Amino acid sequence: MKEPLLERFIKYAKIDTQAVPDKGKIPSSEGQLELANIVVQDLKEAGVVDIRMTEQGYVYGTIPSNIPAGHPAYGRVPTIGFVSHLDTAMECPGKNVKPQIIKKYGGEDIVLPGNPELILKVDEEPELKKCMGHTIITSDGTTLLGVDDKAGIAVIVEMAHYFKENPDKLHGKIRIGIMPDEELGIGAENLDLKEFGADFAYTLDGGGLGEIDIESFNGYKGKITVEGYAAFPGYGKGIYLNATKILSEFVSMMKEEMWPQNCDGRQGIWWVDAFNGGVANAELYVYLRDFELEGIKEKEKLLNEIKEKLLKKYPKAKIDINISETYKNYKYELDKDKRVVQYAEEAMKRIGIKPIHHSVRGGNDSCHLCFSGLLSTNLFVGMQRMHSLKEWCSLQVMEKAVETIISLVNVWTEKSL
Ligand SMILES: [Zn+2]
């Protein structure tokens, strides 16, 4: 008997797979291997073949193409990969997860029983309002739920079961890749793309119903250094030049409306950190983020204008700004083959879901995969309030994610005819 999606998800959620920073090895926690072993078993039961689990906890598997020789699509359907991750976030505890299951949600605020002051308020959760009558899953409020990304794994296993139970539904080769330590930013980096062998991929690591991540920020990082002049302060008149003071003025001249606390949607941002200053020298890191390269250029221009103003005021100071790219918006890559996003949209529309374009205000795995040569984007699995004690999800949205990727496989097959 196939395990129901809810039970499968809860089974995964209960295993502590929290990532541990600076561990120096992959996976960074033993629990990830424990979960990987269970996933291997579950994939086997779901008819997945060529399953290989690596020492690091990567799990690869195949649903072979079932298109018969002689069929017009035979040999023409690209290999589609689906990717999710084993580890959970580090921001709050991940051990002893006790999921709370609320059936037939009626629109009320949800109290988290292990931490009753913590309440999911309908007013603060616009997505909750859309989930009337659903089965809502939360933690008990003392840990995260782990919906990021155990929902993604459960959705992929469920899809595999569907194709096992429906051998008449023709599809090309499907590859599955489950990775460790995504939260540490090293999961996708170490995914063996040659072994994975997908032509296009989708990560299942996204938010609300219908969301498709279509782009990420362009990320730039730079160092600003100021050289002043350290003279004996008591006799400093005319010569003493304090680098820390100049750099502080620099920061205060960076437009307030472009700081993270004031921006959302598609607005770009800048911020600084690691300010280090003495009298003679001061330095800090500056970060620029924008969906458009024009926006990055504009911010660099503004930084240079601040520099020029300060040099006028302090002609004897030296100010250097060195900025370089950290990552690029993966939209530039996806634009090379628009099918990745278009087919995902079509897959959703076919099952009555309205696709919602989502711009990721950071980098993500799709970003990494795209620039490593595997065009990919991220699809919803229903996770909400990720990385917090208030993580929650709707079972029905997770079910829609399963339907979406089945539909997506169908779209890729049909379009290859
Ligand atoms: Zn994730």
Side-chain angles (χ1 to χ4, degrees):
M1 257 301 277
K2 189 187 83 160
E3 201 173 7
L5 179 59
L6 177 64
E7 273 154 46
R8 189 186 305 287
F9 169 69
I10 300 285
K11 178 176 76 176
Y12 297 162
K14 282 186 173 168
I15 301 167
D16 175 14
T17 62
Q18 195 163 41
V20 181
D22 305 320
K23 202 68 191 188
K25 67 173 182 107
I26 302 175
S28 65
S29 56
E30 283 301 304
Q32 295 184 57
L33 290 177
E34 192 188 325
L35 177 55
N37 275 309
I38 291 171
V39 172
V40 166
Q41 285 313 314
D42 287 358
L43 288 174
K44 267 185 199 159
E45 266 166 46
V48 174
V49 299
D50 296 335
I51 300 173
R52 191 172 92 86
M53 178 177 151
T54 73
E55 270 174 26
Q56 294 184 322
Y58 285 82
V59 178
Y60 302 95
T62 303
I63 304 175
S65 170
N66 60 357
I67 300 171
H71 187 280
Y74 182 75
R76 298 174 55 114
V77 187
T79 299
I80 303 301
F82 292 105
V83 178
S84 58
H85 64 91
L86 299 160
D87 60 318
T88 56
M90 297 146 293
E91 283 86 344
C92 36
K95 206 179 173 156
N96 290 324
V97 174
K98 296 182 208 74
Q100 169 179 220
I101 299 160
I102 297 157
K103 295 208 165 146
K104 296 202 178 75
Y105 174 64
E108 64 284 351
D109 288 352
I110 298 175
V111 179
L112 303 178
N115 195 354
E117 286 122 73
L118 222 55
I119 296 169
L120 277 176
K121 293 216 168 84
V122 183
D123 295 348
E124 294 163 9
E125 302 288 328
E127 291 293 321
L128 252 187
K129 286 194 192 113
K130 301 177 193 164
C131 295
M132 291 292 285
H134 290 197
T135 298
I136 303 293
I137 311 151
T138 72
S139 76
D140 73 342
T142 61
T143 66
L144 42 75
L145 173 62
V147 56
D148 177 7
D149 183 25
K150 284 153 182 175
I153 304 176
V155 163
I156 289 174
V157 175
E158 191 80 4
M159 168 205 62
H161 272 284
Y162 173 87
F163 285 115
K164 183 188 172 194
E165 287 154 17
N166 296 276
D168 56 315
K169 300 275 188 252
L170 294 185
H171 57 79
K173 184 175 174 184
I174 299 167
R175 282 289 277 163
I176 292 168
I178 313 288
M179 61 187 171
D181 288 330
E182 189 271 350
E183 301 295 352
L184 301 176
I186 52 179
E189 218 170 279
N190 290 288
L191 186 77
D192 185 339
L193 292 187
K194 228 175 138 199
E195 172 165 4
F196 191 44
D199 297 310
F200 303 98
Y202 296 89
T203 54
L204 289 158
D205 197 11
L209 183 69
E211 276 184 21
I212 308 177
D213 292 343
I214 53 152
E215 62 175 346
S216 67
F217 269 150
N218 291 291
Y220 280 68
K221 182 182 179 183
K223 199 172 193 180
I224 304 178
T225 52
V226 177
E227 235 177 79
Y229 187 76
F232 186 72
Y235 299 99
K237 188 159 184 186
I239 48 168
Y240 177 88
L241 191 56
N242 190 307
T244 295
K245 180 175 182 299
I246 296 170
L247 191 51
S248 306
E249 279 182 52
F250 192 110
V251 175
S252 65
M253 287 162 81
M254 289 170 66
K255 278 187 188 168
E256 179 80 20
E257 64 263 31
M258 288 183 350
W259 286 73
Q261 67 273 24
N262 297 320
C263 300
D264 61 6
R266 280 195 97 250
Q267 292 172 308
I269 48 176
W270 61 14
W271 75 94
V272 302
D273 77 358
F275 195 124
N276 205 327
V279 176
N281 295 286
E283 59 179 35
L284 55 71
Y285 288 113
V286 62
Y287 300 83
L288 311 179
R289 299 285 184 268
D290 206 287
F291 291 104
E292 305 295 340
L293 285 172
E294 274 308 304
I296 296 283
K297 269 194 210 139
E298 175 65 21
K299 286 176 187 61
E300 281 191 66
K301 197 174 132 231
L302 290 169
L303 291 178
N304 278 307
E305 283 170 15
I306 296 173
K307 170 182 159 177
E308 292 311 319
K309 274 185 199 154
L310 285 170
L311 284 176
K312 256 189 199 144
K313 187 172 170 189
Y314 304 105
K316 285 186 179 156
K318 256 187 85 180
I319 304 175
D320 277 315
I321 305 176
N322 270 306
I323 289 175
S324 58
E325 179 194 306
T326 317
Y327 60 89
K328 267 215 190 88
N329 186 340
Y330 67 88
K331 183 178 186 301
Y332 305 129
E333 291 299 302
L334 280 181
D335 281 348
K336 292 179 183 167
D337 195 329
K338 295 196 192 285
R339 290 179 297 173
V340 179
V341 171
Q342 276 172 1
Y343 288 3
E345 288 174 339
E346 178 155 352
M348 289 185 199
K349 285 181 194 155
R350 284 187 185 184
I351 56 168
I353 297 172
K354 190 172 164 251
I356 298 166
H357 283 181
H358 184 243
S359 300
V360 183
R361 296 182 61 76
N364 65 0
D365 288 334
S366 301
C367 197
H368 184 86
L369 294 175
C370 278
F371 286 102
S372 304
L374 175 57
L375 291 191
S376 116
T377 192
N378 188 34
L379 303 178
F380 77 95
V381 285
M383 55 179 79
Q384 299 291 343
R385 292 269 174 179
M386 289 91 77
H387 299 200
S388 81
L389 298 174
K390 289 184 174 179
E391 277 188 355
W392 66 274
C393 65
S394 145
L395 176 63
Q396 282 71 16
V397 174
M398 235 191 278
E399 285 169 352
K400 286 288 176 196
V402 178
E403 282 177 49
T404 295
I405 59 172
I406 292 168
S407 169
L408 182 52
V409 167
N410 291 338
V411 173
W412 276 100
T413 308
E414 276 175 31
K415 300 276 184 184
S416 306
L417 282 168

